[in-house]
Each structure stands twice: as structure tokens, then as C-alpha cells.
Amino acid sequence: MTINLENKELLIAMIAGSIVFVILAGFIIYFMFLYRQKQLLHANEQKRLEAQYQEAVMESRMEIQTQILQHVSSEIHDNLGQIASLINIHLHTFPTPENPQAEAKLRESRELVQRLTLDMRLLSQSLNTEHFSEKGFFRALEEESERIARTGIVSVHLNLPAPVPQLDKNIEVFLFRISQEILNNMLKHAQATEIHIDLELQPEHLAIRFRDNGIGFNPNLALQEGAARRKSGLRNLQKRCEWIHARLEIESAPGEGSRFILKLPL
Amino acid sequence: MTPDFWIYFTILLASSGYGIFHFRKMPAWLKALTLICLLTLLNEIVGRILAYSIRNSSPPYHIYVVFCYLLQCYIYTKIYKKTGFIRNYAIITAIILCTFSLTNSIFIQRPLTFPSHAILLASIFTLILILSSFVLMLRSPGESPLLAEASFWFNTANLVLYTTSFLYFALYNILIASGGIPDIYESVIAVFTILAYTFYGISLYLGNKKATAHDNQPGK
């Protein structure tokens, strides 16, 4: 069979066929383009929902943590604090023994109880979020530094910027809890004798640098070990920083102390 | 037999062979797709035998068009299980096509006549299914790239194949009236048919790969 191009109907059929096939190819290409766009939209929507979910989880965690800390703080203040005060009163009403050794022990016990009462009051305050909200992050950090220094294990040097920036109350709570965690880690694991806390106000962010002269550690190894045990203080710290859109850099090596640099965008 | 027929036949054989080889572990819709390939292969073989023996290859097409459409409906209802429209549409059009095809084969285009009316109707019904399927794909896009989706290749194969059939039979009378179907037209149709069955093969391969990967996931 041959093509009779003079045949008008045949020509129309051929042109119509070609047009349809061009449309077909165009349709598939356009569909692929549309599908890609939809995929991106869908992925963005999923990311948004994931972020929303994480935020809700974070809020409820914070709420639970605040309630627990509040409860512990009240227990320390109202219960343990009262018992310590009562012991203190009893010790003060105790007749001074004639034996010098017993008298020294009694004096020492009175001092210890007074120190216990003070430490418990400070600990109760540092756990109490309401109390913390009244003071703000910078004052609370000062008090926390004083409390740690009072333990006599390390000396704490705090360097605050002047003037201190105004931060969101929720972010201040997070910052304080992160700072507490870093300082507690330094106290528990670093075997340091000195801790330096430097706060620096930059045009774009607030930088908080924690530095100790302790035994140091390998941050990558600590993160890996923590991930393997599905429990990591460092990973939790990083997560908490992510929640407030802050960045945490950990610099340390065995024998070289450790540095935690937290950068909070302003 | 022309070289393009042999290419088409080889691809059809390869797609069917791949489907049969992995038949047991394939999801239901891919099994149905394998059956479509096998049915087409059988139809081609029987058609050629009849063409040599009675000089007419039309009789198997009367059965092929109906079974092929039923399998297409089955595939779409399996892919879009949760879409009521596809299920209802498939049931209604399958009943219409079966009734029409039977009537057509008995009264209008008898077994020795090519069932172009039934094929045209099946093409229209399938094209609507295909376009609906594309819309549904856009409504809920998957995470993997489109070119890695077996259902996309299946749909594209169907779009190419059924648009070709639709055009072929819609323009059939015009072409015949103007002195027969031109070679170039036959060649274009052959190329698109080869393309469609290649896409079926790709769909079988991707679908099977995905099913195997799913089965090999820990905890499965």
C-alpha cells in the first residue's frame, strides 16, 4: 500500500494522528512536571506537620518537666527544708556540752545544717520555674553559678554582657535548663577545677560559651555511644537547642578540657 | 512478517516470560498485567495461525477485547482500592462492554469480521480509566521518583496503546475509503505498540522489584 498524498482525507488523518501523538507526549511530560511539583508540595507539607508535631511534643515535655521540677522544688522547700530547719532549732536548743570534743561536733553539726538549709533553698529556687520567671535567665544563671561555686568543687567565672538582651520567656526557660545540664555535666564528669561562662551579644545572635579545664572527652565518640544505648545527654542537649533554633558546638579532646558554645539567633 | 512484528513479538515474549518467572511473589495487579501480556501473546499466535489456515485473524479478537478490558478493570480496582469511583466505573463499563461485545459479535460484526466497534468502545472506556488514574496519582503523590513507580509505567503504556487503538479505529474508515491503510501509518502504530509493551515490561520489573524489597524488609 502506498501513501496517496493527494488524498485530502488521508492527509487530514495523518495530521490528526500526528497532532494527537504530539499531545500525548506533551501530556506525559507535563504530567511528570506536575507530579514533581505535587511531590515537593507534599514533602513540604509533611515537613511542616512533622515540625508541628515535634513542637507539640516539646511543649508537652516541657510542661511535664516543669511540673516535676515544680513538685520537687516544693518538696525540698516545704518538706525537707522544714525538717532541716527543725533539726537546726533542735541543735540550737541543745545544751552546750562541757566536753570540748562534743561541743566542736555540735558546732560543726549546726554549721552543716545551716549549709544544708541554704543549699536546699537555692536548689529549690533553681528548680522552681515560677521563681525563675521572675528573675529572668541572666539573674538565674548568676545564682546557679554561685550555687555551683558554693559546692567548693569548682570555681565558676561568669561574664555577662551589659546590657543583657530581652529574651522570650519560654526560650529563657530552655536556655536555663540547657545551661544547667551543661554545668551539671561538667560537675559530674569533667573533674574540672574551673568553669568559665562567657556570654557575648552579637548583632545576630547571643553566644554562650561554657569552658572547663577538666579531663575532656571525645564528643563524636560520646554521641555515638549515646546513640547506641539510645540514651545520650549530649544528643538531648542538641535536640533542646534545635527546638529553640539554637546551635550547639561541642569542642573537646581527652586531656584538653571541654567547650560548649551555644548560639541563639536573636 | 516484518521486522517490527518480530521486535514487538520479542518484547511481548520477554515481558510475559518475566511475569511468569516472578508470578508467585508478584502483587495481584502485576499478575493481571502478566495475564494481559500472555493473552496478547496467545491472541497474536492464534491470529497468525488462523491467518495462514483460514486467511482471517479476526475471531480471537472478539474474546481478547473483553478479557483484556476485564483485566484492565481488575488492575485499576486493585491499584486504587480505596477509590469508589474507579470500582463503580469499572463494574458498570465492564457490564456495558461485555453486553455490547456479545451483541456486536452476534449481530453486527460477526466472528469473521474484525470487532473494531468493541475495540473502539474498550479504548474509550480504558482511556477514561487512564486519565482518572493520572488525576488520582496527582492527588496523592508517592515519595519515590515518578519514573520508579510501576503504576506510572503501566498507565503510560496504556495511554500510548489505547490512544493508538482509538485513533486507528476512529480513522479506520477514512483510511480504508482513501485506498487502504498506508505503510507509514502501520509503522507508527507498530512503534507505539512496541513502546507500550516495553513500558508494560518496565512496569512488571519495577513492581516486582518493589514487592521483593518490601518482602525483604526486616520484620516482614
Side-chain angles (χ1 to χ4, degrees), chain A residues 23-37:
Chain A
I23 291 171
L24 198 71
F27 172 81
I28 292 169
I29 292 165
Y30 183 60
F31 175 80
M32 287 167 80
F33 171 73
L34 262 186
Y35 190 84
R36 183 77 198 121
Q37 276 194 324

Side-chain angles (χ1 to χ4, degrees), chain B residues 6 19-21 55 59-60 67 74-75 82 90 95 133 136 160 174 183 201 207:
Chain B
W6 284 113
I20 292 167
F21 191 74
R55 302 218 165 267
F67 278 99
Y74 176 76
I75 291 174
K82 291 169 190 166
I95 294 168
S133 171
L136 289 171
V160 171
I174 298 172
D183 288 347

Side-chain angles (χ1 to χ4, degrees), chain A:
Chain A
M1 277 175 267
T2 54
I3 310 165
N4 181 6
L5 286 176
E6 285 167 22
N7 189 319
K8 203 179 167 186
E9 280 188 331
L10 176 65
L11 195 66
I12 290 168
M14 296 298 292
I15 291 168
S18 309
I19 289 170
V20 170
F21 284 123
V22 168
I23 291 171
L24 198 71
F27 172 81
I28 292 169
I29 292 165
Y30 183 60
F31 175 80
M32 287 167 80
F33 171 73
L34 262 186
Y35 190 84
R36 183 77 198 121
Q37 276 194 324
K38 286 268 177 188
Q39 264 186 327
L40 290 175
L41 270 177
H42 191 70
N44 285 342
E45 180 65 13
Q46 275 200 324
K47 265 188 199 166
R48 196 183 61 79
L49 288 173
E50 176 71 25
Q52 245 178 14
Y53 171 75
Q54 286 296 343
E55 215 166 289
V57 169
M58 176 200 80
E59 270 177 27
S60 59
R61 267 190 194 169
M62 271 301 291
E63 215 165 286
I64 292 166
Q65 196 186 41
T66 307
Q67 278 175 3
I68 293 169
L69 291 178
Q70 204 80 21
H71 180 69
V72 173
S73 166
S74 317
E75 280 296 306
I76 292 171
H77 184 265
D78 302 340
N79 205 354
L80 301 180
Q82 292 307 316
I83 294 170
S85 298
L86 212 57
I87 295 170
N88 196 20
I89 293 165
H90 278 281
L91 287 175
H92 274 93
T93 52
F94 210 77
T96 311
E98 285 175 10
N99 183 339
Q101 266 189 336
E103 196 260 327
K105 274 193 178 177
L106 181 65
R107 199 176 54 243
E108 198 184 339
S109 298
R110 281 174 185 160
E111 279 170 14
L112 281 172
V113 170
Q114 269 174 353
R115 196 171 148 186
L116 176 72
T117 315
L118 182 68
D119 280 354
M120 278 200 296
R121 189 167 58 81
L122 288 172
L123 181 64
S124 165
Q125 279 178 5
S126 93
L127 297 178
N128 191 336
T129 312
E130 273 176 30
H131 181 72
F132 162 81
S133 301
E134 289 161 18
K135 287 181 296 192
F137 168 68
F138 298 98
R139 179 75 200 114
L141 191 62
E142 266 181 330
E143 284 184 8
E144 190 68 9
S145 308
E146 285 164 17
R147 188 179 73 81
I148 292 169
R150 210 169 287 124
T151 60
I153 303 168
V154 286
S155 60
V156 184
H157 309 277
L158 176 68
N159 181 18
L160 284 178
V164 289
Q166 195 73 34
L167 298 173
D168 180 87
K169 283 283 165 207
N170 286 331
I171 289 182
E172 281 198 338
V173 175
F174 263 96
L175 270 185
F176 184 64
R177 295 291 175 225
I178 293 166
S179 305
Q180 267 186 324
E181 183 79 23
I182 293 171
L183 291 170
N184 281 340
N185 281 345
M186 285 176 165
L187 268 180
K188 272 198 298 190
H189 310 294
Q191 298 172 25
T193 53
E194 274 190 21
I195 294 176
H196 290 264
I197 310 167
D198 298 301
L199 284 89
E200 195 182 338
L201 193 59
Q202 300 274 340
E204 287 172 358
H205 64 259
L206 169 72
I208 310 173
R209 292 186 179 82
F210 300 87
R211 185 160 47 92
D212 71 41
N213 62 347
I215 54 170
F217 65 103
N218 182 339
N220 291 332
L221 197 67
L223 277 166
Q224 276 171 10
E225 281 175 358
R229 280 179 288 149
R230 302 178 68 83
K231 180 185 164 191
S232 165
L234 288 182
R235 183 74 201 110
N236 283 344
L237 271 176
Q238 281 179 327
K239 263 191 186 169
R240 285 185 185 197
C241 289
E242 280 168 22
W243 288 340
I244 53 169
H245 308 293
R247 214 177 70 220
L248 181 69
E249 291 165 17
I250 306 166
E251 294 170 3
S252 184
E256 288 180 17
S258 54
R259 284 168 298 280
F260 290 77
I261 304 153
L262 194 152
K263 285 180 183 169
L264 177 78
L266 293 172

